[in-house]
Amino acid sequence: MSKKIIIANMKTKLNAKEMKEYLKKLDGQITYPGVVFMPTSLYVPYFIEKGYKVGLQDIFFEKEGSYTGEILPSQAKSIGIKYVMVGHSERRVHLNESNQIINKKIKNALTENMGVVLCVGESKEEKTLMETKEVIRRQLFTALKGVTNLKNFIIAYEPVWAIGSGKIPSKRELAKTIAFIKEFVGEMKDGAKVKVLYGGSVRSKSMPIFNQIENLDGYLIGGASCDAEEFLKIIELCENGKA
Ligand code: PGA
């Protein structure tokens, strides 16, 4: 089984002093090649200086022009960013981001040959109504409309109810949803190359459970990635094939 991809979604956590302390704790500790940090954009240069792989938590949907407060893919690329995340549920919920906007962002990022991490997942209510598959199908269908290049593409399955809640899906549910996502993209050109990650309350203690899911390609980690000791523990488990 190939080694897992680990993406740290650091959201809006840590102030500058805390971030420097965090980076100090990581110094010289990470040899595993599969780690990508997505810190708050302000702190991106700190991570680039250290030689880490870095991604942005979001990207703008236009290619050029003046858009106060936004970051264009060409700018991101020029500083050494290789990946961008789109469609995180916190953006879908708090910023009303639609699948159509996410589709524009994906196409825009791909024109700069950036790796894209697309987040999908159902809410608690949708899960209760047993609509998980339908919701994800809709999200993928619109977000990937007209997208022809899936060579460097990652999909993160993040059930909204699992994010920051301490809850995780059952093994069976997770394996089933991941298989569904792989089947969906499998119909598209280069779809077989797409990696599918899981995100939502990933902790080192749940790694033995996740490790039993054969079709899982890695993790998108929020809270636990902001705790240096815990994050290093997760990386070590992945490095040793235990996660
Ligand atoms: P969490 O967040 O690990 O804190 O649940 C994951 C995410 O929102 O990407």
Side-chain angles (χ1 to χ4, degrees):
M1 202 190 294
S2 65
K3 292 263 164 113
K4 302 282 203 315
I5 298 166
I6 308 172
I7 301 182
N9 173 19
M10 303 187 76
K11 311 191 181 191
T12 37
K13 308 286 181 200
L14 310 186
N15 63 31
K17 185 168 169 274
E18 290 162 346
M19 189 54 101
K20 285 187 177 157
E21 284 163 7
Y22 171 86
L23 282 166
K24 215 163 148 190
K25 288 185 191 162
L26 297 188
D27 258 348
Q29 304 291 315
I30 303 179
T31 48
Y32 187 65
V35 183
V36 179
F37 288 93
M38 294 191 174
T40 311
S41 303
L42 269 178
Y43 304 135
V44 158
Y46 299 167
F47 286 78
I48 288 181
E49 265 166 36
K50 301 264 182 196
Y52 295 126
K53 286 187 192 136
V54 185
L56 290 184
Q57 296 174 11
D58 186 52
I59 196 71
F60 196 51
F61 55 78
E62 294 291 355
K63 206 171 159 48
E64 53 191 359
S66 300
Y67 301 98
T68 302
E70 297 293 341
I71 299 175
L72 301 178
S74 55
Q75 291 181 299
K77 199 176 173 191
S78 72
I79 197 178
I81 303 281
K82 301 221 165 32
Y83 300 88
V84 292
M85 177 160 70
V86 293
H88 191 280
S89 64
E90 284 155 12
R91 298 193 63 88
R92 292 179 189 261
V93 172
H94 303 300
L95 297 159
N96 273 330
E97 221 167 81
S98 66
N99 288 314
Q100 283 81 2
I101 287 289
I102 293 163
N103 176 251
K104 284 184 85 172
K105 291 184 173 188
I106 291 173
K107 287 178 176 160
N108 202 21
L110 289 176
T111 59
E112 291 295 340
N113 293 317
M114 306 193 88
V116 173
V117 182
L118 165 65
C119 302
V120 296
E122 81 285 5
S123 67
K124 186 169 178 232
E125 195 187 9
E126 289 159 346
K127 178 179 161 57
T128 312
L129 293 169
M130 301 204 298
E131 289 175 353
T132 300
K133 228 164 130 175
E134 205 33 56
V135 169
I136 293 175
R137 189 201 310 276
R138 241 181 358 244
Q139 290 172 335
L140 291 174
F141 182 79
T142 309
L144 296 178
K145 213 171 194 164
V147 174
T148 49
N149 177 359
L150 290 176
K151 273 188 206 132
N152 196 8
F153 215 92
I154 293 173
I155 295 176
Y157 169 52
E158 292 212 315
V160 182
W161 53 268
I163 295 174
S165 66
K167 297 192 182 101
I168 54 172
S170 71
K171 262 190 314 198
R172 200 172 148 267
E173 279 172 336
L174 192 46
K176 222 169 80 184
T177 308
I178 288 168
F180 171 68
I181 294 172
K182 290 199 168 181
E183 195 186 301
F184 186 101
V185 292
E187 307 276 308
M188 300 174 67
K189 185 170 175 283
D190 290 319
K193 295 192 176 118
V194 173
K195 303 281 183 206
V196 181
L197 316 186
Y198 168 73
S201 295
V202 173
R203 307 276 182 275
S204 58
K205 67 171 180 355
S206 24
M207 285 303 169
I209 301 170
F210 294 132
N211 200 28
Q212 295 170 36
I213 299 166
E214 279 184 15
N215 52 2
L216 185 60
D217 299 313
Y219 308 99
L220 178 58
I221 310 178
S225 72
C226 302
D227 173 338
E229 285 86 8
E230 172 69 358
F231 194 47
L232 287 171
K233 230 187 260 176
I234 293 173
I235 296 172
E236 196 189 326
L237 289 168
C238 288
E239 194 156 23
N240 297 329
K242 293 183 178 154

